[in-house]
């Protein structure tokens, strides 16, 4: 995840920066499958692709989009870049251990606003929940456009709706009465279609070549592992809240989550398709842009 100068969550920079460098192995667990589900859903939007396509997983994190790409296109070559060295080290370990990755994946620490690739390198580009964290959104979009081959597609995602936000505010109301509720102007900004489209057009894409889609997913859990899920989710909320909450207040989050679960479950959590599964609703905003 490329580190921002104006963070996705206001005042959360220091804690999330540290997590991106040290938390690659637990990233997907904390995401509850939400980013993976979207990564798998957006890969078909890149088609048609040549058999030996070269694809960019931009601001790759631990390689969730890379895995989805290779599952659909095992002959492709994926270049993963991220400015968090811990994420790239984790991908390097996956190249050595995951079937089909060796010879098909390379990884490098790189700023998404200054990509070290020639013009027209890639047959496709994916930036999955990263562009809102770039130091310069316009420069990041220009780099996506520059490194994409003419006639090929880039998929860039943001969040239309984040279900953890009303949960965090409700927990604050229960456990921290009188405290100002958590707010983020950046979350509100990047949920808007015009912001995502405007960013890509500012990078060089034509408006008629940008198509917007929405896909629903969730941060999933299982009631049989509820204690583990509550602990992980409380820790994630603490990371997202960053410096807007004290460490003592963050220590109250799990208790507040349990109170919501016991008393207002249907208001804040959705039911999954299998018995005992539940989730926190999330909606992805997806731009498919053709150069």
């Amino acid at each position: 995840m490329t580190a921002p100068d104006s963070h996705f969550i206001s005042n959360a920079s220091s804690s999330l920066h540290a997590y991106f460098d040290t938390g690659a192995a637990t990233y997907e667990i904390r995401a509850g499958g939400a980013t993976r589900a979207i990564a798998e859903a957006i890969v078909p939007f890149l088609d048609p692709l040549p058999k030996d396509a070269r694809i960019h997983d931009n601001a790759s994190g631990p390689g969730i989009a890379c895995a989805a790409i290779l599952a659909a296109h095992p002959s492709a070559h994926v270049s993963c870049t991220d400015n968090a060295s811990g994420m790239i080290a984790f991908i390097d370990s996956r190249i050595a251990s995951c079937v089909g990755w060796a010879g098909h994946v390379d990884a490098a620490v790189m700023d998404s606003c200054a990509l070290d690739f020639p013009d027209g390198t890639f047959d496709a580009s994916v930036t999955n929940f990263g562009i809102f964290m770039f130091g310069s959104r316009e420069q990041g979009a220009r780099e996506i456009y520059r490194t994409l081959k003419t006639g090929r597609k880039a998929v860039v995602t943001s969040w239309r709706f984040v279900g953890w936000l009303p949960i965090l505010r409700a927990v604050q109301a229960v456990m921290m009465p009188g405290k100002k509720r958590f707010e983020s102007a950046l979350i509100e900004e990047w949920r808007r279609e015009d912001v995502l489209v405007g960013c890509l057009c500012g990078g060089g894409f034509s408006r008629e070549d940008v198509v917007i889609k929405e896909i629903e997913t969730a941060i999933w859990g299982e009631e049989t592992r509820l204690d583990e899920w509550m602990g992980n989710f409380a820790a994630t909320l603490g990371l997202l809240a960053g410096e807007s909450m004290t460490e003592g207040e963050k220590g109250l989050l799990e208790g507040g989550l349990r109170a919501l679960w016991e008393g207002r479950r249907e208001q804040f959590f959705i039911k999954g398709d299998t018995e005992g599964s539940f989730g926190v609703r999330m909606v992805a905003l997806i731009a498919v842009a053709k150069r």
Side-chain angles (χ1 to χ4, degrees):
M1 295 296 177
T2 297
D5 56 5
S6 175
H7 207 278
F8 177 53
I9 311 300
S10 59
N11 299 320
S13 294
S14 58
S15 57
L16 277 175
H17 278 217
Y19 175 68
F20 289 147
D21 255 338
T22 62
T26 60
Y27 179 93
E28 190 167 5
I29 294 172
R30 293 199 181 212
T35 53
R36 174 170 47 82
I38 298 304
E40 292 171 350
I42 64 178
V43 170
F45 301 156
L46 302 173
D47 292 335
L49 288 171
K51 184 177 181 180
D52 59 347
R54 187 171 181 192
I55 302 172
H56 187 201
D57 184 0
N58 188 24
S60 62
I64 292 171
C66 176
I69 290 164
L70 289 178
H73 300 280
S75 297
H77 187 97
V78 182
S79 293
C80 299
T81 64
D82 198 294
N83 74 352
S85 59
M87 292 293 184
I88 296 303
F90 184 74
I91 292 174
D92 284 337
S93 72
R94 297 189 75 182
I95 292 172
S97 62
C98 293
V99 175
W101 282 47
H104 289 276
V105 180
D106 64 82
V109 177
M110 202 176 298
D111 184 350
S112 292
C113 296
L115 296 173
D116 190 19
F117 298 110
D119 296 357
T121 296
F122 298 109
D123 294 290
S125 176
V126 173
T127 307
N128 198 31
F129 305 113
I131 197 163
F132 42 71
M133 300 178 71
F134 290 176
S136 167
R137 64 185 71 171
E138 290 82 6
Q139 181 59 28
R142 280 194 290 270
E143 286 292 271
I144 293 170
Y145 184 85
R146 180 186 67 79
T147 56
L148 190 64
K149 293 178 181 177
T150 300
R152 298 301 185 182
K153 298 173 186 175
V155 176
V156 180
T157 63
S158 182
W159 289 114
R160 171 77 86 181
F161 174 79
V162 290
W164 58 261
L165 184 55
I167 288 177
L168 177 57
R169 289 171 175 167
V171 168
Q172 287 180 310
V174 171
M175 307 301 289
M176 308 159 212
K179 183 179 178 67
K180 182 180 178 181
R181 303 295 173 257
F182 179 80
E183 295 180 357
S184 172
L186 211 53
I187 291 176
E188 293 301 317
E189 180 184 20
W190 279 94
R191 67 184 295 274
R192 290 165 38 199
E193 177 180 327
D194 64 301
V195 171
L196 182 55
V197 171
C199 174
L200 292 173
C201 291
F205 293 96
S206 297
R207 178 61 187 91
E208 58 268 24
D209 291 327
V210 180
V211 177
I212 294 294
K213 302 175 182 288
E214 291 186 17
I215 297 177
E216 290 201 18
T217 184
I219 300 170
W220 292 109
E222 298 286 340
E223 290 188 42
T224 56
R225 303 178 68 179
L226 183 62
D227 289 346
E228 178 185 358
W229 188 92
M230 286 286 180
N232 284 332
F233 192 60
T236 299
L237 290 179
L239 282 169
L240 293 167
E243 296 168 10
S244 70
M245 294 177 65
T246 67
E247 290 304 311
E249 288 169 339
K250 291 176 184 179
L252 301 173
L253 289 172
E254 186 170 349
L257 283 173
R258 292 183 180 279
L260 292 186
W261 177 262
E262 295 299 328
R264 302 161 69 184
R265 189 178 313 178
E266 293 184 359
Q267 181 178 350
F268 293 104
F269 301 93
I270 61 174
K271 291 183 178 180
D273 293 333
T274 58
E275 183 67 27
S277 65
F278 65 92
V280 175
R281 181 174 174 262
M282 305 283 283
V283 182
L285 181 66
I286 300 160
V288 183
K290 183 176 181 180
R291 176 170 178 176

